[in-house]
Amino acid sequence: MSLRPLLSVLALGLLSGCASAPVQFYTIAPTASDVTLAQKNAPVTYVPRVSLPDYLDTQDILVRDGSRLIRSSNGRWASRLSQSATDLIVARLSQDLPQRMITAYPPIDTPESRLGITIERMDLLQQGQATLIASWTELPSDEASPPQQGRAAVSVQGSVVDDAAKTALLQKLFEQLSDKIAASLASR
């Protein structure tokens, strides 16, 4: 055997050992079985996509270290984070408020209300703390009715050892936000 084929095989073997791990996709959106259907003829609440700071509304899974954002090397969100967060919040609100039809899709008819949610600030820290500050406004279709506003700060602790743990921690964060929003809407 000549030296040239042997070197080629050796080089291919070394290169295959350097291949990076495959990209993994994550979501915090619920499965279809987790979605609660509203009663027939229930008043409709339309929830447009949650607003997030631009630097967070990507498919990158990010962890904050001071002023530096560290992107996961092989983990990505299956869709923009704002879309998954909206889907999760809508599903949770549907469970908590079964007397309403909560939807993230524009209804054909004018909805009973429109619920805008803004995440003003959100951080997932390397130390395992996730926090957010959010505000929301429910605008009734009846202009004579006053809008209802709310604001909350939510914080959860957990592991950030890998992308699955980061995903679970952010899901918990958005679930707690959903519970606060539901409580404010139920009091109306």
Side-chain angles (χ1 to χ4, degrees):
M1 183 174 201
S2 73
L3 188 57
R4 176 177 235 130
L6 183 60
L7 288 175
S8 295
V9 169
L10 184 59
L12 283 174
L14 289 173
L15 284 176
S16 67
C18 296
S20 63
V23 175
Q24 300 291 313
F25 292 94
Y26 296 88
T27 185
I28 59 173
T31 63
S33 63
D34 293 335
V35 176
T36 304
L37 295 178
Q39 305 162 3
K40 188 175 182 177
N41 298 322
V44 176
T45 298
Y46 168 54
V47 182
R49 187 182 288 197
V50 170
S51 175
L52 281 168
D54 287 341
Y55 69 95
L56 293 175
D57 195 18
T58 69
Q59 283 188 268
D60 294 326
I61 296 175
L62 301 170
V63 174
R64 188 178 190 108
D65 179 27
S67 60
R68 183 173 65 125
L69 296 173
I70 302 167
R71 184 179 82 145
S72 171
S73 59
N74 66 331
R76 303 284 177 274
W77 295 116
S79 63
R80 294 178 76 87
L81 183 56
S82 61
Q83 185 61 57
S84 290
T86 302
D87 292 343
L88 176 64
I89 290 170
V90 165
R92 291 289 290 213
L93 291 176
S94 295
Q95 290 172 351
D96 293 341
L97 304 167
Q99 70 281 11
R100 294 187 188 200
M101 180 183 150
I102 313 282
T103 182
Y105 300 96
I108 294 171
D109 295 326
T110 302
E112 188 75 24
S113 64
R114 180 180 191 276
L115 177 62
I117 303 168
T118 300
I119 308 300
E120 299 170 16
R121 179 109 178 129
M122 187 176 93
D123 289 313
L124 177 59
L125 303 177
Q126 278 189 318
Q127 297 80 12
Q129 182 177 14
T131 59
L132 66 74
I133 298 171
S135 59
W136 59 91
T137 303
E138 183 182 31
L139 297 171
S141 61
D142 177 8
E143 293 178 12
S145 297
Q148 183 177 1
Q149 297 181 321
R151 193 159 194 258
V154 181
S155 183
V156 294
Q157 287 282 142
S159 173
V160 292
V161 69
D162 59 20
D163 293 327
K166 294 170 194 167
T167 299
L169 192 59
L170 283 182
Q171 180 167 344
K172 197 168 151 184
L173 185 71
F174 282 109
E175 286 172 348
Q176 287 193 14
L177 173 62
S178 300
D179 293 345
K180 290 185 179 286
I181 294 171
S184 78
L185 298 179
S187 66
R188 183 176 180 148

